[in-house]
Amino acid sequence: VILGVLYVLWKLPAEKKFLLLKILCFFIVSGGLGNMIDRMRLNYVVDFIYFSPIDFPIFNVADIYVTVSMILLFVLVMFYYKEEDFEFLKWKQNKEQE
């Protein structure tokens, strides 16, 4: 997943329109790398945030980055960006095949 997001970051045009998408991609990669570093270093992910009033599962900052960024990314793709905005991700086709 991290490699896929990094590929999208690499291909993203430098337009102002994609700034929020770029920021969300950085947060997704940051959260993924944070959890991956914990997993490789300790063989488990350190979770330290717990809300006892609502009995929510224990989580960490990297989980927040990934979860909130994915929710915002979903909202952006559904309601802000159009299909044409993602033409930069399509594979280039030979003109002979067209």
Side-chain angles (χ1 to χ4, degrees), residues 47-82:
D47 292 329
F48 53 87
I49 301 173
Y50 176 67
F51 290 115
S52 59
I54 57 173
D55 195 30
F56 197 76
I58 301 172
F59 56 97
N60 61 23
V61 176
D63 296 339
I64 295 170
Y65 280 10
V66 171
T67 305
V68 172
S69 296
M70 288 304 295
I71 290 169
L72 292 175
L73 181 65
F74 177 76
V75 170
L76 276 179
V77 168
M78 292 301 293
F79 300 111
Y80 180 70
Y81 293 114
K82 295 174 180 50

Side-chain angles (χ1 to χ4, degrees), residues 3-86:
L3 291 175
V5 175
L6 287 173
Y7 175 77
V8 170
L9 271 171
W10 179 57
K11 297 291 264 178
L12 266 173
E15 297 176 26
K16 186 178 180 182
K17 177 183 202 174
F18 295 107
L19 180 63
L20 190 54
L21 183 61
K22 233 178 231 188
I23 292 169
L24 291 177
C25 286
F26 277 117
F27 276 118
I28 292 168
V29 169
S30 299
L33 286 175
N35 279 338
M36 189 171 72
I37 289 169
D38 270 358
R39 179 73 58 188
M40 289 180 1
R41 188 175 59 109
L42 305 170
N43 288 330
Y44 63 93
V45 176
V46 177
D47 292 329
F48 53 87
I49 301 173
Y50 176 67
F51 290 115
S52 59
I54 57 173
D55 195 30
F56 197 76
I58 301 172
F59 56 97
N60 61 23
V61 176
D63 296 339
I64 295 170
Y65 280 10
V66 171
T67 305
V68 172
S69 296
M70 288 304 295
I71 290 169
L72 292 175
L73 181 65
F74 177 76
V75 170
L76 276 179
V77 168
M78 292 301 293
F79 300 111
Y80 180 70
Y81 293 114
K82 295 174 180 50
E83 191 172 341
E84 303 87 49
D85 293 333
F86 296 107

